[in-house]
Amino acid sequence: MTGPSLQDDPRPTEAFDARHTDLDRLSPLALVQTFADDQLQALQAVQAAVPSLTAAVEAARGRLEQGGRLIYAGAGTSGRLGMLDATELTPTFSWPPERAVPLLAGGLRAMREAVEGAEDDADAGAGDVCAAQVGPGDVLIAVAASGTTPYVLGAAAQARAAGALTVGLSNNPGTPLLSAVDCPVLLDTGPEVISGSTRLKAGTAQKIALNILSSALMVGLGKVYGNLMVDLRASNAKLEARALRLVQHATGAPLPDAQAALHAAGGRVKTAIVMLRLNIEAADAEARLARSGGHARATLGETEQAPDRTPPG
């Protein structure tokens, strides 16, 4: 009597890909090309998910405008990608770290090593959501390639019961996670080159989707002017130089003027831009930005809506 085979699992991410049965016999060039070609399916999956990603952004923005938090829940690769996205929001957009809360099955230890059984504990997922005091103002992004991870399902169920908006990213269609959330996002990447290794294109699709979700939300919240990262946190020499370039680019000011404005603004790029563009002091610029909800374009009186662009191809 034999046990279940790879073909018995209905989840495409766990399926056996018969195209790559000689993977271990390929030359280095052919091997690298195979992996590179397969990764293209990650982008195709994200492109197909644009409508559902848009719906998630539209649903989440209002809660964040009212002071809500982004909560990420995942296990293994999915959880680590959520941790990464949450962490990068602070230096990129000055998003308060307490408003980007990553929940990882097994805790911080699981960033570097597998924690046995952590992802199989739905109660732990629910408990972590309770411990984070997730409530109606928050947005939970639940990520699971399989769409069946108990920890993630427990977190999503508890967050939804608490009134939070729930977004779910899964790489398999028809999975429990997609049925358990308010905003389901299917990233249908199919079987992996290395069977079952969802750190490959499934993980790539998740990374792209998380980048899109959080970046689109930050743009909508006024963290970007044009396509300039005007709310970055200049925490090192590289970012300080970037902040100065951003001020000069947005205002056309000479270097000494840009430096002086940035210094007076306490390193806040958006404040320095408003100061220079409107010829006002830092305190006045801050007050005007506050009245416009932090949106530089509205503060500068540039409120005309840009037309939607026709998608390529």
Side-chain angles (χ1 to χ4, degrees):
M1 182 175 180
T2 60
S5 71
L6 289 171
Q7 300 294 7
D8 294 329
D9 195 314
R11 297 169 296 181
T13 57
E14 303 299 319
F16 174 72
D17 193 335
R19 297 172 300 170
H20 304 298
T21 56
D22 291 327
L23 191 70
D24 58 345
R25 301 170 66 184
L26 296 180
S27 69
L29 174 59
L31 183 61
V32 170
Q33 190 66 59
T34 296
F35 280 122
D37 290 345
D38 199 58
Q39 288 285 332
L40 292 174
Q41 293 182 41
L43 182 56
Q44 292 165 359
V46 174
Q47 291 281 15
V50 163
S52 54
L53 288 168
T54 302
V57 170
E58 291 174 340
R61 177 174 164 179
R63 300 199 188 207
L64 299 183
E65 286 176 333
Q66 297 302 314
R69 300 174 295 167
L70 281 171
I71 316 291
Y72 299 76
T77 296
S78 300
R80 296 179 190 109
L81 289 171
M83 180 81 71
L84 177 63
D85 200 69
T87 302
E88 290 182 340
L89 292 180
T90 298
T92 307
F93 301 110
S94 292
W95 187 251
E98 63 273 14
R99 294 183 66 192
V101 181
L103 305 178
L104 174 61
L108 286 176
R109 174 184 158 203
M111 282 296 292
R112 292 297 306 272
E113 60 183 278
V115 178
E116 294 295 333
E119 71 174 55
D120 300 324
D121 193 341
D123 289 341
D128 285 351
V129 166
C130 287
Q133 298 182 322
V134 175
D138 296 323
V139 178
L140 179 111
I141 304 175
V143 190
S146 68
T148 60
T149 306
Y151 175 89
V152 178
L153 292 174
Q158 181 60 43
R160 198 172 190 184
L165 178 75
T166 52
V167 180
L169 274 58
S170 171
N171 296 84
N172 289 315
T175 52
L177 179 58
L178 297 179
S179 300
V181 296
D182 302 299
C183 300
V185 179
L186 171 62
L187 303 169
D188 194 357
T189 46
E192 297 284 1
V193 170
I194 298 176
S195 296
S197 180
T198 52
R199 64 177 288 271
L200 298 175
K201 66 184 172 193
T204 300
Q206 291 173 359
K207 177 67 167 71
I208 297 171
L210 288 170
N211 269 349
I212 290 171
L213 275 171
S214 59
S215 297
L217 285 167
M218 293 300 116
V219 172
L221 293 169
K223 301 292 185 178
V224 172
Y225 172 56
N227 66 339
L228 304 180
M229 194 171 69
V230 294
D231 260 358
L232 70 84
R233 177 165 295 180
S235 56
N236 57 44
K238 178 188 73 174
L239 292 178
E240 288 172 358
R242 182 178 295 167
L244 187 57
R245 291 197 301 272
L246 288 168
V247 172
Q248 285 192 275
H249 182 86
T251 64
L255 179 60
D257 292 353
Q259 288 174 322
L262 199 55
H263 177 74
R268 293 183 291 276
V269 172
K270 191 159 53 179
T271 301
I273 290 171
V274 172
M275 289 171 60
L276 290 166
R277 290 283 296 275
L278 299 182
N279 194 27
I280 58 178
E281 298 298 320
D284 191 6
E286 287 285 338
R288 296 191 191 198
L289 282 165
R291 288 195 295 271
S292 70
H295 292 260
R297 194 173 292 282
T299 303
L300 296 171
E302 304 167 354
T303 55
E304 184 178 350
Q305 181 75 31
D308 285 339
R309 297 185 178 182
T310 302

